[in-house]
Amino acid sequence: MLDLKFVRSNPEIVKEALAKRCADINLDDFLRQEEKRRQILFEAENLKAERNKVSEEVARRKKSGQDAEELILQMREVGQNIKTLDDSLNEIEQKMLEVLYLIPNIPDASVPVGKDENDNIQVRKWGEPRKFEFQPLAHYELGEKLDILDFARAGKVTGTRFTFYKGLGARLERALINFMMDRHAAKGYTEVFPPFMVNRQSMFSTGQLPKFEEDAFKVEKTDYFLIPTAEVPVTNIYRDEILEADMLPIRFCAYSACFRAEAGASGRDTRGLIRQHQFNKVELVKFSLPENSFQELEMLTADAEAILQELELSYRVIVLSTGDLGFSSAKTYDIEVWLPSFNLYREISSCSNFNDFQARRANIRFRRGPKEKPEFVHTLNGSGLAIGRTVSAILENYQEEDGRIRIPKALVPYMGTEFIG
């Protein structure tokens, strides 16, 4: 979240950021509450000063043997008035916090201003989309023909947007997880295998709550949630801790299953593996010194890109405009892989710098020296990559005219075969 003092002191900056994001947040109501808070605080402080003065007089009279009963009654009345004001103050501050929790992060100055995804800007492109001499099939058609993906039976067992992987399809999913984890570990990321359920505070810390609770799967009769991404448990590893500056940057990579309600999702994306309620992902998470976080973002994005390069899959990198930026992010690069069935690039990774937005919620700080005041770290994360979408891209881009799927060279040692089918 944003610093409450910053919002109070810089309302015009926050209003400008909200306008750039096309965010529907009534900051004027927040500011009216702030003005009321100031008035009550002023009254309460005056009464507390009066109470202190009266207390001193009561002590003086008692010491000299004078009657102080009238002053004691006056002090009790003042005390009750102070309690009433303090209760009002707490109520107002809670209302202000509720608004603060819904205010998104301020976009970095380097983020292009725009209304939505149509204003995103392509930064670079790698490889060229494959030209087919036959009519290519969609990944879900290929998966069913090869009997490696079973959507119908998963629908019977659970419901729509779930999948059984079978045979070499299951091995491909597992091979990609191992391949990605090995590559990221070799680049200095520490491997983490996190819990797949987290508590409410963890979801709040990374910005999923309270705004996106409808997209989360809550475990009945508990205050646990199934994780929407490994970002949530891994970012919360250091919640309420103070790190030493020489520990930073800390880089983690984590495999996890992910669970999302995908409220409102419809259309072609809901067919196949592109938008599932349960999917696998390898996540990259970083904790950085503030002055280095944007350099770390570039490195993180490059690490995610390197996976696609090894798999020889054509992709592009776009920087999201202010209107398409995620709630907690200050700057985001989306990596989009080429999918022939869509005849366009589709997101396979989103790499973001949150500055201190998440760290402030999670109270993750660092100290530059033994006597230095703690500061908030900067947090970053990105998919390295989404496994199901990578499977989709491999099936579609590596399909042969005879219906087989050729395995990318980098994956052959993990698969033990050069073809599916």
Side-chain angles (χ1 to χ4, degrees):
M1 62 186 178
L2 299 181
D3 181 6
L4 182 58
K5 291 181 181 178
F6 177 85
V7 179
R8 286 170 176 162
S9 304
N10 301 276
E12 295 309 316
I13 293 176
V14 178
K15 282 184 177 181
E16 182 182 359
L18 290 172
K20 287 179 179 178
R21 277 179 165 272
C22 305
D24 186 19
I25 301 290
N26 187 352
L27 198 64
D28 288 334
D29 184 53
F30 176 92
L31 296 174
R32 280 192 292 269
Q33 295 290 342
E34 166 61 7
E35 182 59 32
K36 191 184 296 184
R37 185 194 73 87
R38 287 177 183 271
Q39 291 173 358
I40 292 175
L41 189 61
F42 178 76
E43 290 177 34
E45 287 175 348
N46 284 342
L47 285 177
K48 287 173 184 177
E50 180 183 343
R51 181 175 62 183
N52 292 339
K53 186 177 179 181
V54 172
S55 295
E56 290 174 2
E57 179 62 19
V58 167
R60 187 189 68 77
R61 288 193 182 187
K62 283 185 175 181
K63 189 175 181 180
S64 63
Q66 294 178 279
D67 180 25
E69 188 61 32
E70 183 180 344
L71 289 178
I72 291 172
L73 291 174
Q74 181 183 340
M75 193 167 62
R76 286 176 183 169
E77 184 180 350
V78 170
Q80 184 57 49
N81 290 338
I82 289 172
K83 183 181 182 304
T84 301
L85 289 172
D86 283 345
D87 288 345
S88 297
L89 199 62
N90 290 334
E91 185 180 338
I92 288 172
E93 288 178 344
Q94 185 57 44
K95 287 180 180 178
M96 292 178 70
L97 281 176
E98 288 171 3
V99 175
L100 186 70
Y101 294 156
L102 297 176
I103 297 176
N105 203 353
I106 294 177
D108 184 68
S110 63
V111 174
V113 177
K115 292 183 179 180
D116 52 33
E117 62 184 8
N118 295 314
D119 297 311
N120 296 342
I121 296 175
Q122 180 174 304
V123 176
R124 55 186 169 272
K125 190 170 76 167
W126 189 91
E128 291 297 328
R130 178 183 170 186
K131 307 279 188 199
F132 289 89
E133 296 178 355
F134 58 92
Q135 183 61 42
L137 298 178
H139 68 276
Y140 45 84
E141 296 172 307
L142 291 162
E144 289 174 335
K145 280 179 176 290
L146 292 165
D147 196 28
I148 60 173
L149 297 175
D150 194 331
F151 301 101
R153 288 189 175 91
K156 175 182 67 176
V157 169
T158 308
T160 57
R161 284 189 269 168
F162 288 89
T163 308
F164 272 114
Y165 287 81
K166 299 164 61 180
L168 290 178
R171 188 187 299 179
L172 177 58
E173 183 92 356
R174 180 162 51 90
L176 281 167
I177 293 168
N178 290 336
F179 166 70
M180 292 179 193
M181 292 296 288
D182 287 348
R183 291 301 188 270
H184 294 313
K187 289 189 174 182
Y189 290 84
T190 299
E191 185 172 342
V192 175
F193 188 57
F196 289 0
M197 288 192 290
V198 294
N199 57 35
R200 179 173 291 273
Q201 180 57 44
S202 294
M203 292 284 280
F204 170 80
S205 294
T206 48
Q208 275 75 26
L209 300 182
K211 188 174 177 64
F212 303 107
E213 186 157 355
E214 68 172 7
D215 287 323
F217 283 110
K218 190 175 188 301
V219 181
E220 190 176 3
K221 297 181 181 179
T222 74
D223 207 25
Y224 293 161
F225 293 82
L226 296 177
I227 62 172
T229 164
E231 165 199 348
V232 179
V234 178
T235 302
N236 277 276
I237 284 178
Y238 295 117
R239 192 174 78 219
D240 295 323
E241 294 187 31
I242 299 177
L243 310 174
E244 298 303 322
D246 58 9
M247 295 173 63
L248 304 172
I250 297 170
R251 302 181 178 107
F252 288 128
C253 61
Y255 153 73
S256 78
C258 305
F259 306 88
R260 297 184 187 177
E262 298 288 3
S266 62
R268 189 176 182 184
D269 277 5
T270 60
R271 188 174 183 187
L273 299 174
I274 299 301
R275 199 175 290 277
Q276 297 263 285
H277 289 310
Q278 175 188 318
F279 59 95
N280 294 314
K281 186 154 64 79
V282 169
E283 191 77 2
L284 307 176
V285 175
K286 292 186 177 186
F287 302 86
S288 168
L289 292 170
E291 60 268 27
N292 297 337
S293 64
F294 281 99
Q295 179 184 353
E296 290 291 341
L297 175 61
E298 300 298 326
M299 294 165 61
L300 185 149
T301 307
D303 291 337
E305 290 180 63
I307 299 296
L308 290 172
Q309 292 174 14
E310 277 208 68
L311 295 175
E312 300 180 76
L313 292 168
S314 177
Y315 69 87
R316 68 174 187 168
V317 178
I318 62 172
V319 59
L320 300 192
S321 72
T322 53
D324 198 30
L325 205 57
F327 176 78
S328 301
S329 179
K331 184 174 185 177
T332 295
Y333 291 112
D334 271 6
I335 304 173
E336 300 180 339
V337 69
W338 178 258
L339 286 180
S341 68
F342 286 84
N343 196 36
L344 47 75
Y345 292 96
R346 294 307 310 266
E347 179 196 334
I348 198 169
S349 174
S350 191
C351 301
S352 301
N353 183 2
F354 303 101
N355 290 348
D356 63 2
F357 191 85
Q358 291 181 330
R360 191 178 298 281
R361 285 178 168 234
N363 194 30
I364 307 171
R365 296 174 293 167
F366 74 98
R367 203 188 304 272
R368 294 184 186 270
K371 296 182 180 180
E372 297 290 331
K373 183 181 178 181
E375 303 173 46
F376 288 107
V377 302
H378 279 196
T379 62
L380 306 91
N381 72 55
S383 307
L385 306 161
I387 306 299
R389 294 192 178 196
T390 309
V391 169
S392 304
I394 289 173
L395 295 182
E396 294 195 11
N397 285 285
Y398 279 90
Q399 61 183 294
E400 301 289 330
E401 192 168 8
D402 62 6
R404 296 185 301 167
I405 308 297
R406 183 164 51 87
I407 301 299
K409 292 177 183 177
L411 278 185
V412 171
Y414 291 86
M415 287 290 295
T417 181
E418 294 184 358
F419 289 92
I420 295 177

